Amino acid sequence: MAFVFNESKTTQLAAYFLQKSKGEMFLLKLMKLLYIADRESFRRYGHPISYDNFVSMDHGPVLSRTYSLMNGMVLDTSGEWNSMISPRNGHKISIVDESEVSFDELSDAEMEIADAVFVEYGHIPRFRLAEITHSFSEWKNPDSSSLRISYMDILKALGYKDGEIQQSIQHMQHQQAVDDFFEVA
């Protein structure tokens, strides 16, 4: 079962980090903060916030779909990203209008993760942050390409045992089925 990318939560998490950085940030830094937040959610709760696909790239782990959104390469979206996040301007990305930003899709637990990640990593320069993510054992050097990082890879890197990994994946699949049911209803 493939998991469905949550554009709403991802957009709001990106906007939150941008807001904390006075509305603008280097794309590389934002990507690292988003990945670290997803990783921390895996560590604490056994699942990501974004439900994005993860890949190893030269500058560390990347949220694949989010990366495409940042670069304006995704057409089939709900439009939430474009309503809150401005198109990339050089190497930077910014909030469209801070007064329009909402965090209503993010749970209290997800906001706690965002706060903790920003406190710990928000002050670190982007290339140093990329170096830090190279130390995450799920990241593999892609040699100028990209390599898939599975949810199982991340959970294993965080110390989950095989049975815990299977339980976590099953929980995510169950939650996806419930979400799908209520979305159709």
Side-chain angles (χ1 to χ4, degrees):
M1 168 185 247
F3 296 104
V4 177
F5 172 63
N6 192 322
E7 185 178 343
S8 297
K9 286 187 178 204
T10 305
T11 299
Q12 289 183 14
L13 185 60
Y16 185 74
F17 287 139
L18 288 167
Q19 191 176 59
K20 291 283 209 177
S21 296
K22 299 181 178 126
E24 181 180 72
M25 186 183 297
F26 283 102
L27 183 140
L28 177 64
K29 183 171 184 169
L30 178 59
M31 179 56 68
K32 297 308 143 199
L33 293 175
L34 291 169
Y35 182 82
I36 292 168
D38 263 342
R39 191 175 198 267
E40 182 61 16
S41 184
F42 270 116
R43 189 185 70 72
R44 291 184 187 190
Y45 306 113
H47 60 82
I49 296 169
S50 71
Y51 283 93
D52 206 333
N53 297 317
F54 304 107
V55 294
S56 290
M57 293 184 76
D58 289 338
H59 290 296
V62 169
L63 286 72
S64 180
R65 180 98 178 195
T66 305
Y67 184 71
S68 294
L69 285 169
M70 288 178 171
N71 287 304
M73 300 182 325
V74 176
L75 301 176
D76 62 335
T77 71
S78 65
E80 293 173 80
W81 182 270
N82 292 329
S83 70
M84 273 204 223
I85 311 292
S86 291
R88 178 180 177 165
N89 184 10
H91 295 291
K92 291 194 174 183
I93 199 157
S94 60
I95 293 176
V96 171
D97 181 357
E98 286 195 52
S99 68
E100 296 295 316
V101 173
S102 168
F103 306 115
D104 62 333
E105 292 291 321
L106 295 170
S107 69
D108 290 344
E110 291 163 340
M111 293 299 289
E112 286 176 23
I113 288 170
D115 285 333
V117 166
F118 196 81
V119 165
E120 187 168 352
Y121 297 99
H123 65 283
I124 299 173
R126 65 185 185 223
F127 291 112
R128 175 68 187 121
L129 203 50
E131 289 173 15
I132 289 169
T133 64
H134 285 181
S135 70
F136 297 163
S137 61
E138 69 270 19
W139 180 82
K140 306 293 183 236
N141 187 337
D143 293 322
S144 299
S145 184
S146 65
L147 299 171
R148 183 176 177 268
I149 302 172
S150 72
Y151 289 8
M152 292 173 68
D153 294 336
I154 298 168
L155 291 164
K156 188 172 281 196
L158 292 168
Y160 279 66
K161 306 290 184 244
D162 287 342
E164 295 169 321
I165 291 171
Q166 290 308 315
Q167 185 178 27
S168 180
I169 298 294
Q170 287 173 348
H171 175 76
M172 285 186 275
Q173 289 170 335
H174 174 74
Q175 187 60 50
Q176 183 73 61
V178 169
D179 292 348
D180 289 348
F181 174 79
F182 283 107
E183 191 169 300
V184 172

mmCIF file of all heavy atoms in Angstrom, residues 66-95:
data_model
loop_
_atom_site.group_PDB
_atom_site.id
_atom_site.type_symbol
_atom_site.label_atom_id
_atom_site.label_comp_id
_atom_site.label_asym_id
_atom_site.label_seq_id
_atom_site.Cartn_x
_atom_site.Cartn_y
_atom_site.Cartn_z
ATOM 1 N N THR A 66 7.612 17.163 -1.908
ATOM 2 C CA THR A 66 7.785 18.536 -1.419
ATOM 3 C C THR A 66 8.853 19.265 -2.228
ATOM 4 O O THR A 66 8.692 20.441 -2.573
ATOM 5 C CB THR A 66 8.130 18.531 0.078
ATOM 6 O OG1 THR A 66 7.121 17.811 0.781
ATOM 7 C CG2 THR A 66 8.241 19.935 0.626
ATOM 8 N N TYR A 67 9.918 18.565 -2.546
ATOM 9 C CA TYR A 67 10.982 19.136 -3.369
ATOM 10 C C TYR A 67 10.420 19.575 -4.728
ATOM 11 O O TYR A 67 10.724 20.659 -5.222
ATOM 12 C CB TYR A 67 12.108 18.114 -3.543
ATOM 13 C CG TYR A 67 13.301 18.624 -4.308
ATOM 14 C CD1 TYR A 67 14.173 19.559 -3.748
ATOM 15 C CD2 TYR A 67 13.577 18.162 -5.591
ATOM 16 C CE1 TYR A 67 15.277 20.021 -4.445
ATOM 17 C CE2 TYR A 67 14.679 18.620 -6.290
ATOM 18 C CZ TYR A 67 15.528 19.550 -5.713
ATOM 19 O OH TYR A 67 16.618 20.014 -6.404
ATOM 20 N N SER A 68 9.571 18.736 -5.295
ATOM 21 C CA SER A 68 8.931 19.086 -6.569
ATOM 22 C C SER A 68 8.031 20.300 -6.419
ATOM 23 O O SER A 68 7.985 21.171 -7.297
ATOM 24 C CB SER A 68 8.134 17.891 -7.106
ATOM 25 O OG SER A 68 9.008 16.839 -7.454
ATOM 26 N N LEU A 69 7.293 20.375 -5.307
ATOM 27 C CA LEU A 69 6.457 21.556 -5.055
ATOM 28 C C LEU A 69 7.313 22.818 -4.946
ATOM 29 O O LEU A 69 6.975 23.863 -5.505
ATOM 30 C CB LEU A 69 5.644 21.380 -3.774
ATOM 31 C CG LEU A 69 4.446 20.450 -3.842
ATOM 32 C CD1 LEU A 69 3.909 20.166 -2.436
ATOM 33 C CD2 LEU A 69 3.352 21.027 -4.713
ATOM 34 N N MET A 70 8.422 22.714 -4.218
ATOM 35 C CA MET A 70 9.315 23.861 -4.042
ATOM 36 C C MET A 70 9.854 24.361 -5.376
ATOM 37 O O MET A 70 10.102 25.549 -5.541
ATOM 38 C CB MET A 70 10.491 23.491 -3.129
ATOM 39 C CG MET A 70 10.131 23.331 -1.689
ATOM 40 S SD MET A 70 11.614 22.830 -0.765
ATOM 41 C CE MET A 70 11.004 22.960 0.921
ATOM 42 N N ASN A 71 10.043 23.438 -6.295
ATOM 43 C CA ASN A 71 10.601 23.784 -7.597
ATOM 44 C C ASN A 71 9.541 24.028 -8.654
ATOM 45 O O ASN A 71 9.864 24.194 -9.828
ATOM 46 C CB ASN A 71 11.571 22.694 -8.051
ATOM 47 C CG ASN A 71 12.855 22.753 -7.263
ATOM 48 O OD1 ASN A 71 13.515 23.777 -7.220
ATOM 49 N ND2 ASN A 71 13.190 21.657 -6.600
ATOM 50 N N GLY A 72 8.259 24.027 -8.270
ATOM 51 C CA GLY A 72 7.173 24.292 -9.205
ATOM 52 C C GLY A 72 6.979 23.210 -10.245
ATOM 53 O O GLY A 72 6.497 23.483 -11.348
ATOM 54 N N MET A 73 7.342 21.968 -9.908
ATOM 55 C CA MET A 73 7.280 20.884 -10.883
ATOM 56 C C MET A 73 6.095 19.941 -10.686
ATOM 57 O O MET A 73 6.015 18.916 -11.341
ATOM 58 C CB MET A 73 8.571 20.065 -10.829
ATOM 59 C CG MET A 73 9.788 20.901 -11.148
ATOM 60 S SD MET A 73 11.381 20.035 -11.167
ATOM 61 C CE MET A 73 11.266 18.817 -9.916
ATOM 62 N N VAL A 74 5.170 20.275 -9.797
ATOM 63 C CA VAL A 74 4.019 19.411 -9.554
ATOM 64 C C VAL A 74 2.762 20.154 -9.965
ATOM 65 O O VAL A 74 2.521 21.272 -9.530
ATOM 66 C CB VAL A 74 3.923 19.008 -8.067
ATOM 67 C CG1 VAL A 74 2.679 18.201 -7.805
ATOM 68 C CG2 VAL A 74 5.153 18.228 -7.645
ATOM 69 N N LEU A 75 1.965 19.520 -10.793
ATOM 70 C CA LEU A 75 0.753 20.160 -11.274
ATOM 71 C C LEU A 75 -0.507 19.633 -10.589
ATOM 72 O O LEU A 75 -1.486 20.348 -10.459
ATOM 73 C CB LEU A 75 0.625 19.967 -12.788
ATOM 74 C CG LEU A 75 1.783 20.521 -13.619
ATOM 75 C CD1 LEU A 75 1.594 20.172 -15.084
ATOM 76 C CD2 LEU A 75 1.908 22.020 -13.425
ATOM 77 N N ASP A 76 -0.503 18.382 -10.152
ATOM 78 C CA ASP A 76 -1.711 17.768 -9.596
ATOM 79 C C ASP A 76 -1.736 17.884 -8.069
ATOM 80 O O ASP A 76 -1.594 16.925 -7.360
ATOM 81 C CB ASP A 76 -1.817 16.308 -10.036
ATOM 82 C CG ASP A 76 -0.657 15.462 -9.547
ATOM 83 O OD1 ASP A 76 0.422 16.017 -9.289
ATOM 84 O OD2 ASP A 76 -0.850 14.242 -9.408
ATOM 85 N N THR A 77 -1.922 19.086 -7.594
ATOM 86 C CA THR A 77 -1.968 19.306 -6.152
ATOM 87 C C THR A 77 -3.318 19.909 -5.778
ATOM 88 O O THR A 77 -4.102 20.313 -6.629
ATOM 89 C CB THR A 77 -0.862 20.277 -5.688
ATOM 90 O OG1 THR A 77 -1.183 21.593 -6.136
ATOM 91 C CG2 THR A 77 0.500 19.875 -6.202
ATOM 92 N N SER A 78 -3.516 20.004 -4.484
ATOM 93 C CA SER A 78 -4.739 20.631 -3.985
ATOM 94 C C SER A 78 -4.655 22.156 -4.087
ATOM 95 O O SER A 78 -5.639 22.842 -3.888
ATOM 96 C CB SER A 78 -4.959 20.223 -2.527
ATOM 97 O OG SER A 78 -3.912 20.754 -1.713
ATOM 98 N N GLY A 79 -3.471 22.656 -4.354
ATOM 99 C CA GLY A 79 -3.275 24.099 -4.454
ATOM 100 C C GLY A 79 -2.898 24.758 -3.146
ATOM 101 O O GLY A 79 -2.628 25.957 -3.102
ATOM 102 N N GLU A 80 -2.866 23.972 -2.090
ATOM 103 C CA GLU A 80 -2.552 24.554 -0.782
ATOM 104 C C GLU A 80 -1.139 25.107 -0.723
ATOM 105 O O GLU A 80 -0.912 26.167 -0.141
ATOM 106 C CB GLU A 80 -2.783 23.512 0.316
ATOM 107 C CG GLU A 80 -4.252 23.161 0.453
ATOM 108 C CD GLU A 80 -4.469 22.010 1.402
ATOM 109 O OE1 GLU A 80 -4.452 22.270 2.612
ATOM 110 O OE2 GLU A 80 -4.662 20.881 0.931
ATOM 111 N N TRP A 81 -0.195 24.379 -1.318
ATOM 112 C CA TRP A 81 1.192 24.843 -1.295
ATOM 113 C C TRP A 81 1.280 26.225 -1.950
ATOM 114 O O TRP A 81 1.817 27.158 -1.370
ATOM 115 C CB TRP A 81 2.100 23.850 -2.028
ATOM 116 C CG TRP A 81 3.538 24.269 -1.989
ATOM 117 C CD1 TRP A 81 4.183 25.049 -2.904
ATOM 118 C CD2 TRP A 81 4.491 23.962 -0.967
ATOM 119 N NE1 TRP A 81 5.488 25.248 -2.528
ATOM 120 C CE2 TRP A 81 5.700 24.591 -1.343
ATOM 121 C CE3 TRP A 81 4.440 23.225 0.202
ATOM 122 C CZ2 TRP A 81 6.855 24.488 -0.571
ATOM 123 C CZ3 TRP A 81 5.594 23.123 0.967
ATOM 124 C CH2 TRP A 81 6.781 23.750 0.590
ATOM 125 N N ASN A 82 0.728 26.345 -3.141
ATOM 126 C CA ASN A 82 0.820 27.612 -3.878
ATOM 127 C C ASN A 82 0.036 28.744 -3.221
ATOM 128 O O ASN A 82 0.324 29.907 -3.469
ATOM 129 C CB ASN A 82 0.367 27.416 -5.316
ATOM 130 C CG ASN A 82 1.315 26.543 -6.088
ATOM 131 O OD1 ASN A 82 2.518 26.527 -5.828
ATOM 132 N ND2 ASN A 82 0.789 25.781 -7.023
ATOM 133 N N SER A 83 -0.956 28.416 -2.413
ATOM 134 C CA SER A 83 -1.711 29.475 -1.742
ATOM 135 C C SER A 83 -0.955 30.040 -0.538
ATOM 136 O O SER A 83 -1.203 31.169 -0.139
ATOM 137 C CB SER A 83 -3.088 28.970 -1.308
ATOM 138 O OG SER A 83 -2.970 28.051 -0.241
ATOM 139 N N MET A 84 -0.024 29.277 0.028
ATOM 140 C CA MET A 84 0.704 29.747 1.209
ATOM 141 C C MET A 84 2.179 30.032 0.962
ATOM 142 O O MET A 84 2.762 30.855 1.654
ATOM 143 C CB MET A 84 0.617 28.705 2.329
ATOM 144 C CG MET A 84 -0.585 28.833 3.201
ATOM 145 S SD MET A 84 -0.199 28.073 4.776
ATOM 146 C CE MET A 84 -1.665 27.187 5.100
ATOM 147 N N ILE A 85 2.759 29.330 -0.010
ATOM 148 C CA ILE A 85 4.205 29.421 -0.226
ATOM 149 C C ILE A 85 4.466 30.025 -1.608
ATOM 150 O O ILE A 85 3.930 29.561 -2.615
ATOM 151 C CB ILE A 85 4.882 28.032 -0.137
ATOM 152 C CG1 ILE A 85 4.451 27.258 1.118
ATOM 153 C CG2 ILE A 85 6.400 28.160 -0.242
ATOM 154 C CD1 ILE A 85 4.919 27.826 2.432
ATOM 155 N N SER A 86 5.290 31.061 -1.637
ATOM 156 C CA SER A 86 5.626 31.722 -2.903
ATOM 157 C C SER A 86 6.495 30.821 -3.767
ATOM 158 O O SER A 86 7.232 29.983 -3.248
ATOM 159 C CB SER A 86 6.401 33.012 -2.635
ATOM 160 O OG SER A 86 5.576 33.964 -2.036
ATOM 161 N N PRO A 87 6.450 31.039 -5.090
ATOM 162 C CA PRO A 87 7.366 30.291 -5.956
ATOM 163 C C PRO A 87 8.815 30.572 -5.557
ATOM 164 O O PRO A 87 9.141 31.662 -5.071
ATOM 165 C CB PRO A 87 7.072 30.839 -7.351
ATOM 166 C CG PRO A 87 5.686 31.386 -7.255
ATOM 167 C CD PRO A 87 5.560 31.896 -5.846
ATOM 168 N N ARG A 88 9.636 29.596 -5.787
ATOM 169 C CA ARG A 88 11.068 29.707 -5.484
ATOM 170 C C ARG A 88 11.640 30.951 -6.142
ATOM 171 O O ARG A 88 11.339 31.257 -7.300
ATOM 172 C CB ARG A 88 11.739 28.442 -6.004
ATOM 173 C CG ARG A 88 13.208 28.417 -5.829
ATOM 174 C CD ARG A 88 13.762 27.120 -6.369
ATOM 175 N NE ARG A 88 15.200 27.141 -6.243
ATOM 176 C CZ ARG A 88 15.957 26.083 -6.346
ATOM 177 N NH1 ARG A 88 15.411 24.905 -6.593
ATOM 178 N NH2 ARG A 88 17.257 26.176 -6.221
ATOM 179 N N ASN A 89 12.465 31.686 -5.407
ATOM 180 C CA ASN A 89 13.136 32.874 -5.916
ATOM 181 C C ASN A 89 14.631 32.660 -5.717
ATOM 182 O O ASN A 89 15.143 32.874 -4.628
ATOM 183 C CB ASN A 89 12.644 34.113 -5.184
ATOM 184 C CG ASN A 89 13.250 35.383 -5.740
ATOM 185 O OD1 ASN A 89 13.899 35.369 -6.783
ATOM 186 N ND2 ASN A 89 13.049 36.488 -5.036
ATOM 187 N N GLY A 90 15.300 32.197 -6.760
ATOM 188 C CA GLY A 90 16.711 31.834 -6.627
ATOM 189 C C GLY A 90 16.820 30.618 -5.719
ATOM 190 O O GLY A 90 16.205 29.592 -5.981
ATOM 191 N N HIS A 91 17.566 30.771 -4.645
ATOM 192 C CA HIS A 91 17.752 29.670 -3.693
ATOM 193 C C HIS A 91 16.861 29.819 -2.468
ATOM 194 O O HIS A 91 17.012 29.088 -1.492
ATOM 195 C CB HIS A 91 19.218 29.588 -3.254
ATOM 196 C CG HIS A 91 20.136 29.235 -4.376
ATOM 197 N ND1 HIS A 91 20.153 27.999 -4.973
ATOM 198 C CD2 HIS A 91 21.070 29.987 -5.034
ATOM 199 C CE1 HIS A 91 21.049 27.984 -5.936
ATOM 200 N NE2 HIS A 91 21.604 29.187 -6.002
ATOM 201 N N LYS A 92 15.943 30.783 -2.503
ATOM 202 C CA LYS A 92 15.091 31.037 -1.338
ATOM 203 C C LYS A 92 13.627 30.766 -1.634
ATOM 204 O O LYS A 92 13.189 30.765 -2.781
ATOM 205 C CB LYS A 92 15.269 32.472 -0.852
ATOM 206 C CG LYS A 92 16.637 32.709 -0.233
ATOM 207 C CD LYS A 92 16.685 33.996 0.525
ATOM 208 C CE LYS A 92 18.022 34.103 1.254
ATOM 209 N NZ LYS A 92 18.077 35.313 2.071
ATOM 210 N N ILE A 93 12.901 30.606 -0.559
ATOM 211 C CA ILE A 93 11.464 30.355 -0.621
ATOM 212 C C ILE A 93 10.831 31.167 0.512
ATOM 213 O O ILE A 93 11.457 31.402 1.542
ATOM 214 C CB ILE A 93 11.184 28.842 -0.521
ATOM 215 C CG1 ILE A 93 9.800 28.505 -1.027
ATOM 216 C CG2 ILE A 93 11.487 28.281 0.826
ATOM 217 C CD1 ILE A 93 9.673 27.059 -1.458
ATOM 218 N N SER A 94 9.597 31.624 0.320
ATOM 219 C CA SER A 94 8.979 32.480 1.338
ATOM 220 C C SER A 94 7.477 32.239 1.435
ATOM 221 O O SER A 94 6.878 31.592 0.586
ATOM 222 C CB SER A 94 9.251 33.954 1.025
ATOM 223 O OG SER A 94 8.713 34.291 -0.228
ATOM 224 N N ILE A 95 6.897 32.821 2.465
ATOM 225 C CA ILE A 95 5.455 32.769 2.679
ATOM 226 C C ILE A 95 4.799 33.800 1.768
ATOM 227 O O ILE A 95 5.324 34.901 1.579
ATOM 228 C CB ILE A 95 5.112 33.089 4.153
ATOM 229 C CG1 ILE A 95 5.627 31.993 5.076
ATOM 230 C CG2 ILE A 95 3.622 33.263 4.348
ATOM 231 C CD1 ILE A 95 5.416 32.287 6.553
#
